[in-house]
């Protein structure tokens, strides 16, 4: 019962305050109308300096506050990152051109000794499961089937297997399951290709071969095709497994040199 009475008294008090403020607003409006708007003009003139001061203070806050400093700092960081990315891209392009230029210089040093053709690689080395790749030179450039394909260091990569007008297909010396007779330090053995740049051979365990020795292919103008990188044998076996690898990284090759098989070649 007392709770209902207190609630009713609060509602009555709120209603009285609302009615009082309404009467004041109406009275002020009537006075302003009676004075021809002079009351509004007086209020506006009185509040204008305060409003201007608040605007100036807000602008100063934005200019000198930590928020403004952080925004400016973020913008500077973004500009610096964009510039770093641009310089990184330019540096990568410069390194690519420098590497390509060095490779072409290496090829040019030995190209004058024989009738050779320099050609860029036109396909991925790993694009074919048959141990082949394509070069951008064909019979229009004087390329013939059976010609030798050399790296800039003078290692034989393979032979021309098929010739087109402007392109030719090269078959790796160490194509999968390809067999080729090889020699190293007057020791002859048969290499079996494992794909791309590696091959293996099985020789008598007493054969005097050493790791790091170059391996030559007599049928390919006696050019080097790789080096011995590993010799595996056991005490119970009479044979040793020889692993031969082309020392040139395929990822670094952009150009190759093509020479006829019947002409002498001088490895770099």
């Amino acid at each position: 019962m007392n709770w209902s009475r207190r609630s009713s008294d609060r509602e009555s008090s709120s209603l009285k305050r609302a009615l009082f403020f309404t009467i004041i607003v109406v009275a002020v409006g009537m006075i302003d109308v009676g004075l021809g708007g002079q009351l509004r003009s007086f209020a506006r003139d009185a509040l204008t300096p305060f409003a201007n001061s608040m605007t100036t203070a807000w602008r100063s806050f934005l200019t000198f506050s930590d928020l403004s400093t952080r925004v400016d700092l973020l913008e500077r960081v973004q500009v610096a990152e964009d510039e770093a990315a641009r310089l990184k891209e330019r540096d990568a392009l410069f390194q690519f051109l420098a590497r390509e230029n060095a490779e072409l210089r290496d090829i040019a040093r030995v190209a004058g000794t024989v009738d050779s053709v320099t050609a860029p690689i036109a396909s991925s080395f790993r694009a074919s499961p048959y141990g082949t790749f394509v070069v951008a030179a064909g019979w229009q450039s004087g390329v013939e089937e059976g010609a030798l394909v050399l790296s800039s260091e003078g290692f034989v990569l393979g032979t021309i297997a098929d010739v087109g007008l402007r392109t030719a297909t090269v078959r790796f010396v160490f194509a999968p399951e390809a067999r080729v007779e090889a020699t190293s330090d007057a020791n002859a053995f048969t290499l079996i290709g494992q794909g791309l740049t590696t091959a293996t051979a099985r020789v008598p365990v007493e054969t005097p071969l050493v790791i790091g020795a170059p391996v030559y292919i007599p049928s390919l103008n006696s050019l080097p095709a790789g080096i011995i990188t590993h010799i595996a044998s056991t005490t119970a076996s009479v044979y040793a497994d020889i692993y031969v690898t082309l020392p040139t990284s395929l990822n670094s090759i952009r150009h190759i040199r093509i020479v006829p098989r019947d002409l002498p070649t001088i490895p770099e």
Side-chain angles (χ1 to χ4, degrees):
M1 189 71 168
N2 292 336
W3 178 82
S4 298
R5 181 177 301 173
R6 285 196 299 269
S7 176
S8 178
D9 291 342
R10 284 196 297 270
E11 291 178 358
S12 177
S13 177
S14 299
L15 182 60
K16 290 179 180 179
R17 285 196 297 269
L19 181 60
F20 175 74
F21 284 116
T22 300
I23 293 173
I24 292 177
V25 170
V26 172
V28 170
M30 293 178 65
I31 294 172
D32 181 64
V33 171
L35 295 176
Q38 292 183 3
L39 186 61
R40 280 177 293 173
S41 178
F42 174 77
R44 185 168 54 249
D45 293 341
L47 293 175
T48 295
F50 176 75
N52 291 338
S53 299
M54 291 298 295
T55 301
T56 302
W58 177 251
R59 288 177 179 175
S60 300
F61 172 78
L62 292 179
T63 302
F64 299 104
S65 67
D66 291 339
L67 179 61
S68 176
T69 303
R70 290 177 182 178
V71 171
D72 182 64
L73 181 60
L74 290 175
E75 291 178 352
R76 292 175 181 269
V77 169
Q78 185 62 46
V79 171
E81 289 179 349
D82 293 342
E83 180 66 15
R86 187 180 65 82
L87 292 176
K88 184 177 181 181
E89 181 180 0
R90 188 175 65 179
D91 182 61
L93 177 61
F94 174 78
Q95 292 182 7
F96 170 79
L97 294 175
R99 184 169 59 247
E100 185 179 62
N101 187 41
E103 185 179 25
L104 290 174
R105 286 201 309 270
D106 290 338
I107 292 177
R109 274 200 298 270
V110 294
T113 63
V114 294
D115 184 16
S116 63
V117 175
T118 300
I121 305 298
S123 71
S124 169
F125 286 112
R126 304 180 186 276
S128 172
Y130 305 107
T132 62
F133 64 95
V134 178
V135 296
W139 61 259
Q140 192 177 54
S141 302
V143 177
E144 297 179 353
E145 187 174 338
L148 305 180
V149 176
L150 312 181
S151 70
S152 59
E153 294 85 2
F155 284 87
V156 59
L157 300 174
T159 57
I160 300 295
D162 184 66
V163 184
L165 178 62
R166 294 186 178 87
T167 61
T169 302
V170 180
R171 181 174 174 82
F172 277 106
V173 174
F174 296 153
E177 301 303 323
R179 292 176 177 268
V180 60
E181 298 301 319
T183 62
S184 179
D185 293 332
N187 301 292
F189 45 87
T190 301
L191 287 173
I192 301 176
Q194 302 299 309
L196 298 179
T197 61
T198 59
T200 62
R202 176 161 289 189
V203 300
V205 70
E206 67 272 9
T207 304
L209 295 173
V210 295
I211 294 176
V215 175
Y216 300 92
I217 310 298
S219 62
L220 302 179
N221 289 14
S222 295
L223 286 169
I227 60 174
I228 298 175
T229 55
H230 184 62
I231 300 175
S233 63
T234 62
T235 56
S237 176
V238 296
Y239 291 100
D241 293 320
I242 308 301
Y243 295 86
V244 177
T245 303
L246 177 73
T248 303
S249 172
L250 295 183
N251 294 327
S252 65
I253 297 179
R254 299 293 182 271
H255 295 80
I256 49 84
R257 187 162 57 101
I258 304 172
V259 298
R261 182 177 294 196
D262 57 345
L263 291 179
T265 53
I266 301 176
E268 179 70 3

